[in-house]
């Protein structure tokens, strides 16, 4: 049983602590991955702050890239030494949702494996089936996609969550067609990828909405045609003026209740609101239901961009290698594991697109 270094959450809203913990060997259908990079997602921060509950101690982190270093029995399509992206999408492959091409909402009720323990035997939670704020992980084979060797690990790890969530939200969940208009509320990591997804899918105009003019400028570099400050009165009116009409798709990429309550205001007839950002448990929003009923509008929840990872991630990797998908530009800072609390604090300010922890493979 290898002993690895990991950043452990021992109390909500407190700094993570670097500990040496034990990682068991992969069992049937599982793979051990020695990590090269892991990005910090706002979901990791929300979990570490206790926004959605959960058991402690825990290791968070779920946007990872690394090399396969051990295989459990029966693993197929993955070989030793290959570079892989590690996702939190653990699919049974046999439930009704998996069988209909919706693995992000798998209902297979697969038991959560216990793979991490402290040296004294205390169980450590492998959060989101990953626990990737660590030197190694053991995960189910369904969570992995083999990646090209010529892609840097910083780019690979971004394809585990933020990129697929943003692009998939507008392409898969929002069913965006070429020539339609898109409004993206929130120009953070997921929002920038929703903007990229809209650009790649052929949107006519793309309006970014954010509270920061600096982030709106970044959004324009990723494909937004217009920017609207969320702090102004009735920002939806400015977006409609830019589009000349209500939008076809509005993607809410932040977990802020005001954003959700205003989102429907941006829509035109037949418009779709895609709900991506996750507010804290118990938070509620209010709507006037007669409007979407009369205007034939839809509210669509989107978990992880509704992706099928072994279909969608290779497509996105190919777009990156063609120069059509921006990944390198999403990396704001690079940190070691020992500096993870500094990286989290920088991410919490909202200015970073994605901060990445790099592991020494020397």
């Amino acid at each position: 049983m290898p002993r690895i270094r990991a950043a452990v959450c021992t109390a909500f809203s407190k700094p993570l602590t670097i500990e040496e913990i034990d990682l068991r060997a992969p069992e049937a259908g599982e793979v051990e991955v020695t990590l090269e990079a892991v990005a910090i997602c706002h979901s990791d921060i929300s979990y570490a702050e206790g926004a959605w509950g959960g058991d402690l101690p825990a290791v968070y982190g779920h946007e990872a890239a690394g090399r396969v270093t051990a295989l459990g029995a029966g693993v197929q399509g993955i070989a030793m030494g290959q570079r892989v992206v590690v996702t939190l999408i653990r699919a049974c492959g046999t439930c009704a949702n998996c069988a209909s091409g919706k693995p992000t909402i798998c209902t297979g009720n697969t038991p959560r494996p216990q793979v991490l323990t402290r040296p004294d035997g205390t169980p450590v939670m492998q959060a989101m089936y990953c626990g990737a704020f660590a030197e190694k992980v053991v995960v189910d084979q369904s969570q992995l996609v083999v990646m090209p060797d010529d892609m840097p690990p910083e780019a690979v790890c971004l394809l585990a969550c933020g990129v697929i969530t943003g692009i998939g939200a507008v392409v898969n969940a929002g069913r965006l067609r070429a020539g339609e208009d898109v409004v993206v509320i929130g120009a953070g990591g997921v929002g920038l990828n929703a903007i990229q997804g809209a650009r790649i899918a052929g949107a006519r105009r793309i309006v970014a909405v954010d509270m920061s003019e600096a982030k709106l400028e970044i959004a324009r570099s990723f494909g937004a045609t217009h920017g609207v400050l969320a702090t102004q009165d009735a920002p939806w009116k400015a977006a409609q003026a830019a589009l000349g009409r209500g939008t076809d798709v509005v993607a809410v990429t932040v977990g802020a209740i005001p954003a959700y309550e205003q989102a429907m205001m941006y829509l035109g007839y037949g418009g779709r609101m895609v709900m991506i950002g996750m507010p804290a448990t118990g938070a509620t929003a209010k709507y006037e239901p007669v409007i979407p009923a009369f205007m034939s509008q839809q509210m669509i929840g989107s978990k992880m961009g509704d992706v099928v990872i072994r279909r969608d991630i290779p497509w996105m990797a190919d777009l990156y290698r063609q120069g059509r998908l921006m990944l390198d530009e999403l990396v704001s800072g690079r940190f070691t594991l020992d500096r993870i609390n500094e990286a989290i604090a920088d991410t919490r300010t909202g200015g970073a697109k994605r901060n990445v922890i790099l592991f020494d493979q020397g």
Side-chain angles (χ1 to χ4, degrees):
M1 180 178 293
R3 186 156 291 176
I4 61 172
R5 295 173 73 244
V8 182
C9 180
T10 58
F12 292 132
S13 298
K14 299 295 184 182
L16 306 183
T17 59
I18 305 300
E19 300 184 22
E20 290 194 353
I21 59 177
D22 293 329
L23 176 72
R24 70 155 169 77
E27 297 177 353
E30 296 179 336
V31 179
E32 178 192 276
V33 181
T34 297
L35 297 186
E36 299 171 306
V38 59
I40 295 172
C41 175
H42 278 280
S43 294
D44 297 313
I45 297 174
S46 294
Y47 266 114
E49 290 177 342
W52 302 316
D55 298 323
L56 297 179
V59 178
Y60 299 106
H62 63 278
E63 295 190 9
R67 297 278 182 178
V68 175
T69 47
L71 296 170
V75 172
Q76 297 181 345
I78 300 171
M80 291 286 290
Q82 288 183 315
R83 173 169 285 155
V84 292
V85 59
V86 183
T87 80
L88 60 79
I89 302 171
R90 188 169 187 257
C92 72
T94 58
C95 71
N97 287 341
C98 284
S100 59
K102 300 175 182 178
T104 61
I105 50 174
C106 171
T107 57
N109 296 318
T110 307
R112 185 180 296 273
Q114 183 61 53
V115 301
L116 299 172
T117 54
R118 283 177 167 152
D120 65 2
T122 302
V124 178
M125 184 73 169
Q126 184 194 40
M128 292 176 274
Y129 293 113
C130 287
F133 289 161
E135 293 173 325
K136 294 185 178 185
V137 297
V138 168
V139 297
D140 188 80
Q141 63 182 329
S142 66
Q143 298 174 241
L144 305 179
V145 179
V146 176
M147 301 299 291
D149 272 331
D150 59 2
M151 285 186 67
E154 301 99 305
V156 172
C157 73
L158 298 181
L159 290 170
C161 176
V163 175
I164 59 178
T165 297
I167 295 177
V170 295
V171 174
N172 295 334
R175 305 184 304 277
L176 180 69
R177 299 189 301 274
E180 290 189 319
D181 292 324
V182 179
V183 171
V184 177
I185 301 178
V190 173
L192 292 177
N193 288 295
I195 289 167
Q196 290 205 85
R199 170 177 53 79
I200 291 165
R204 184 184 74 114
R205 294 184 183 179
I206 306 167
V207 178
V209 180
D210 201 277
M211 300 180 70
S212 164
E213 186 60 61
K215 292 176 75 173
L216 292 179
E217 193 58 36
I218 295 171
R220 292 183 182 95
S221 72
F222 277 77
T225 59
H226 299 78
V228 169
L229 280 171
T231 53
Q232 66 181 280
D233 291 336
W236 56 88
K237 292 183 179 179
Q240 289 173 357
L243 299 174
R245 60 187 185 186
T247 191
D248 299 294
V249 174
V250 59
V252 186
T253 70
V254 294
I257 293 301
Y260 271 108
E261 292 187 327
Q262 295 176 8
M264 301 293 285
M265 303 290 192
Y266 291 88
L267 292 177
Y269 282 88
R272 289 94 70 195
M273 179 179 75
V274 185
M275 309 166 77
I276 309 157
M278 296 179 65
T281 299
T284 60
K286 295 181 180 180
Y287 298 97
E288 187 177 0
V290 68
I291 296 175
F294 178 74
M295 297 181 67
S296 192
Q297 297 168 340
Q298 301 175 52
M299 298 180 185
I300 304 166
S302 178
K303 182 180 179 182
M304 300 294 294
D306 294 14
V307 295
V308 178
I309 60 173
R310 294 192 182 179
R311 176 195 69 193
D312 294 333
I313 289 180
W315 164 59
M316 295 178 199
D318 204 40
L319 290 175
Y320 167 78
R321 298 169 82 198
Q322 295 176 40
R324 297 166 60 195
L325 178 65
M326 299 166 65
L327 297 181
D328 302 324
E329 296 83 356
L330 287 168
V331 179
S332 300
R334 295 168 173 82
F335 299 81
T336 62
L337 184 63
D338 291 322
R339 296 175 60 203
I340 190 168
N341 289 308
E342 179 184 342
I344 289 172
D346 183 65
T347 303
R348 191 182 282 113
T349 66
K353 298 183 287 292
R354 271 296 188 269
N355 285 323
V356 177
I357 305 299
L358 294 175
F359 296 89
D360 182 9
Q361 300 298 311

